[in-house]
Amino acid sequence: MSAQIVMLGPPGSGKGTQAGLLATHLGVPAISTGDIFRSNVSNETELGTLVRGYMDAGEYVPDSVTNALVRDRLGERDAVEGFILDGYPRTLEQVAALDAILEDQGRRLDAVVELVADHTEVVDRLLLRAQTQGRLDDTEAVIRRRLEVYAEQTAPLARVYGERGLLVDVDGTGDIDQVSRRIVSALA
Ligand code: AP5
Ligand code: MG
């Protein structure tokens, strides 16, 4: 099975959950820009200070910051055999940056898995997570903004990758194992 994979989908569609499962299945790292940013925020690093305001408001971190971070991360040893990118790319500029990073490394994407789940489902999941994990961007107002930003800036990426023949649409509803099995069989 191919191992250079992007997970696409709105907030709450299950990108992080499924990226983790697929990464274990394939023996490659799951790389989440959101997780990297959050750990920098909680460790109060310089990067954390820079990105916190964007994240708390549900806005995207500037492309220049995110692209540099991903270039470094994809250059690490554990990503040589492949990776599952969760939450990157999210803008057309990030698509171009990822193309350039991979071209420099002499490789290319194998597939872009788009998790499809409707508005009510993803909002319910995020509100439920708000009660258990307290992620600062899981408030109703910020969830609404995250979904808007996704629709404006990231949803168009499905078409771009579709035109390249890389897009694999997967139904993201149902239980976690069911979705995971759908992804594995769609990629086979
Ligand atoms: P990021 O951390 O990527 O958040 P997100 O895209 O808003 O998505 P979530 O992590 O909320 O959802 P998910 O799709 O990963 O679903 P999950 O598996 O967690 O980004 C956060 C912020 O960082 C951005 O707003 C931005 O500021 C910044 N950022 C990150 N990347 C960036 C980039 N490339 N460019 C610029 N800025 C960037 O599942 C959600 C919940 O549902 C969980 O509780 C889970 O347990 C549950 N769940 C999962 N699957 C199921 C299921 N099948 N059934 C029931 N519940 C389920
Ligand atoms: Mg996530």
Side-chain angles (χ1 to χ4, degrees), residues 2-5 27-29 31 70-85 95-111 164 166:
S2 19
Q4 271 133 188
I5 293 167
V28 296
I31 299 175
V70 172
R71 180 174 279 278
D72 285 351
R73 182 64 188 86
L74 289 181
E76 285 177 32
R77 277 181 76 94
D78 67 337
V80 168
E81 301 293 329
F83 51 79
I84 315 294
L85 277 171
V95 169
L98 179 60
D99 288 342
I101 294 167
L102 295 178
E103 195 183 328
D104 288 350
Q105 297 179 341
R107 54 184 175 168
R108 55 174 62 201
L109 283 181
D110 295 306
R164 295 189 193 179
L166 291 175

Side-chain angles (χ1 to χ4, degrees), residues 36-52:
I36 296 171
F37 289 144
R38 270 185 294 280
S39 100
N40 277 273
V41 170
S42 51
N43 293 319
E44 299 179 352
T45 67
E46 205 175 312
L47 177 64
T49 310
L50 178 70
V51 304
R52 183 179 185 146

Side-chain angles (χ1 to χ4, degrees), residues 14-185:
K15 299 182 297 296
T17 305
Q18 296 300 333
L21 293 170
L22 189 58
T24 305
H25 182 75
L26 295 173
V28 296
I31 299 175
S32 159
T33 44
D35 284 351
I36 296 171
F37 289 144
R38 270 185 294 280
S39 100
N40 277 273
V41 170
S42 51
N43 293 319
E44 299 179 352
T45 67
E46 205 175 312
L47 177 64
T49 310
L50 178 70
V51 304
R52 183 179 185 146
Y54 296 103
M55 296 183 80
D56 288 355
E59 303 294 338
Y60 286 169
V61 170
D63 286 334
S64 56
V65 175
T66 311
N67 290 333
L69 176 94
V70 172
R71 180 174 279 278
D72 285 351
R73 182 64 188 86
L74 289 181
E76 285 177 32
R77 277 181 76 94
D78 67 337
V80 168
E81 301 293 329
F83 51 79
I84 315 294
L85 277 171
D86 154 23
Y88 181 93
R90 277 172 128 110
T91 65
L92 293 170
E93 199 177 318
Q94 292 180 16
V95 169
L98 179 60
D99 288 342
I101 294 167
L102 295 178
E103 195 183 328
D104 288 350
Q105 297 179 341
R107 54 184 175 168
R108 55 174 62 201
L109 283 181
D110 295 306
V112 174
V113 175
E114 181 182 34
L115 288 173
V116 182
D118 70 25
H119 191 88
T120 325
E121 171 82 24
V122 300
V123 173
D124 286 352
R125 287 181 188 176
L126 296 178
L127 290 174
L128 191 65
R129 184 174 66 189
Q131 293 166 18
T132 55
Q133 288 181 23
R135 231 175 86 169
L136 287 172
D137 59 351
D138 280 344
T139 63
E140 231 172 305
V142 181
I143 290 169
R144 195 177 319 118
R145 182 61 193 148
R146 284 158 65 200
L147 288 165
E148 273 170 14
V149 173
Y150 183 84
E152 286 161 15
Q153 299 199 48
T154 308
L157 272 53
R159 184 159 163 206
V160 171
Y161 285 125
E163 283 167 359
R164 295 189 193 179
L166 291 175
L167 193 71
V168 179
D169 267 338
V170 173
D171 177 2
T173 61
D175 68 41
I176 290 171
D177 288 343
Q178 212 176 351
V179 177
S180 172
R181 282 194 298 274
R182 280 186 205 126
I183 293 173
V184 170
S185 69

